[in-house]
């Protein structure tokens, strides 16, 4: 499955905020304005369109489920993947 | 009356400074503060019976404070907790329904209504010892007085500082169609 990846946040920057969760309002290219809820727990998660996906779930990076994916790179940038074709 | 002058209500509108203005001004080394809002010229409306055929019937000042008493298990004097609810000035005006000042007042309140969320306005009121500086509109109502050509207007202005803030701009996030993003 091919995904379009959008950088949502950086883990180090998010940690510095001292918050448990934060809503990022972003204008995603080709999709439009969306609210993305970032939540910090044992790991980091993103809630997008009502679906929560977690970084590194099942030790998979990127982790994907259905038409969503999440990936963290070596710079601690966290990306949301949205499927473009099935 | 204030010092022989008519009572006056002053509307002050402002416009939030754009981020481009802020970034340009920040390069000036002697500037101590970057303005958040650009103030527009104040608009006074005089409550003058002689000039505009309107008169203040009454002006009242109200302060509401939420007070709760917490009795202690030790039986000592209870603690008092207080929280401010509202400090407002209520003004009742009567005037001829054709009065220019009343028409202006109504249209200014309409302009304020659009700006209550963005906080790009303030209202000052001077009437003897009853004054409000840089207050906010709490309510406005006007009604005709039956059988006359007069209009009764009630304005409530709340005291309280407010600081307009510019909304955070929404970031554009480009998408990339690669197998693994980033590096």
């Amino acid at each position: 499955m091919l995904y379009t990846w959008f950088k949502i946040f950086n883990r180090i920057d998010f940690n510095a905020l001292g918050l448990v969760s934060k809503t990022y309002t972003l204008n995603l290219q080709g999709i439009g304005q969306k609210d993305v809820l970032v939540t910090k727990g044992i790991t980091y998660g993103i809630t997008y369109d009502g679906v929560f996906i977690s970084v590194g779930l099942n030790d998979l990076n990127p982790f994907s489920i259905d038409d969503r994916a999440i990936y963290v790179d070596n710079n601690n940038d966290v990306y949301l993947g949205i499927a473009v074709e099935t | 009356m204030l010092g022989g002058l008519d009572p006056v209500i002053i509307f002050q509108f402002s416009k939030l400074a754009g981020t481009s203005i802020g970034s340009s001004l920040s390069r000036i080394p002697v500037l101590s503060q970057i303005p958040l809002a650009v103030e527009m010229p104040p608009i006074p409306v005089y409550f003058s019976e002689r000039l505009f055929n309107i008169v203040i019937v009454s002006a009242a000042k109200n302060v509401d404070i939420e007070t709760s008493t917490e009795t202690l298990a030790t039986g000592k004097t209870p603690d008092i907790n207080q929280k401010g609810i509202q400090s407002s000035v209520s003004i009742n005006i009567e005037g001829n329904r054709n009065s220019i000042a009343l028409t202006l007042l109504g249209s200014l309140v309409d302009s304020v209504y659009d700006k209550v969320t963005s906080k790009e306005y303030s209202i000052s009121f001077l009437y003897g010892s009853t004054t409000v500086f840089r207050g906010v509109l709490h309510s406005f109502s006007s009604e005709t007085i039956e059988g006359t050509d007069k209009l009764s207007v009630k304005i409530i202005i709340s005291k309280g500082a407010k600081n307009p803030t510019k909304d955070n701009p929404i970031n554009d996030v480009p998408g990339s169609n690669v197998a693994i993003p980033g590096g």
Side-chain angles (χ1 to χ4, degrees), chain A residues 3-7 25-27 29 33 62 71 73-74 79, chain B residues 169-183:
Chain A
Y3 294 93
T4 302
W5 295 96
F6 300 98
K7 182 188 163 184
T25 301
L26 303 168
N27 192 14
Q29 184 184 33
Q33 186 176 320
Y71 175 75
D73 69 7
N74 295 331
Y79 292 82
Chain B
I170 296 167
N171 293 328
D172 290 327
V173 182
S176 58
N177 292 327
V178 292
I180 298 293

Side-chain angles (χ1 to χ4, degrees), chain A residues 3-62:
Chain A
Y3 294 93
T4 302
W5 295 96
F6 300 98
K7 182 188 163 184
I8 304 299
F9 71 104
N10 180 281
R11 285 198 295 193
I12 296 170
D13 293 343
F14 186 85
N15 249 338
L17 296 173
L19 298 173
V20 175
S21 65
K22 182 184 176 187
T23 300
Y24 290 85
T25 301
L26 303 168
N27 192 14
L28 305 181
Q29 184 184 33
I31 294 174
Q33 186 176 320
K34 289 283 183 181
D35 286 339
V36 181
L37 176 67
V38 173
T39 311
K40 184 177 117 182
I42 297 170
T43 179
Y44 291 83
I46 286 176
T47 305
Y48 175 80
D49 271 357
V51 177
F52 177 81
I53 47 174
S54 196
V55 169
L57 198 64
N58 296 337
D59 291 328
L60 293 173
N61 190 31

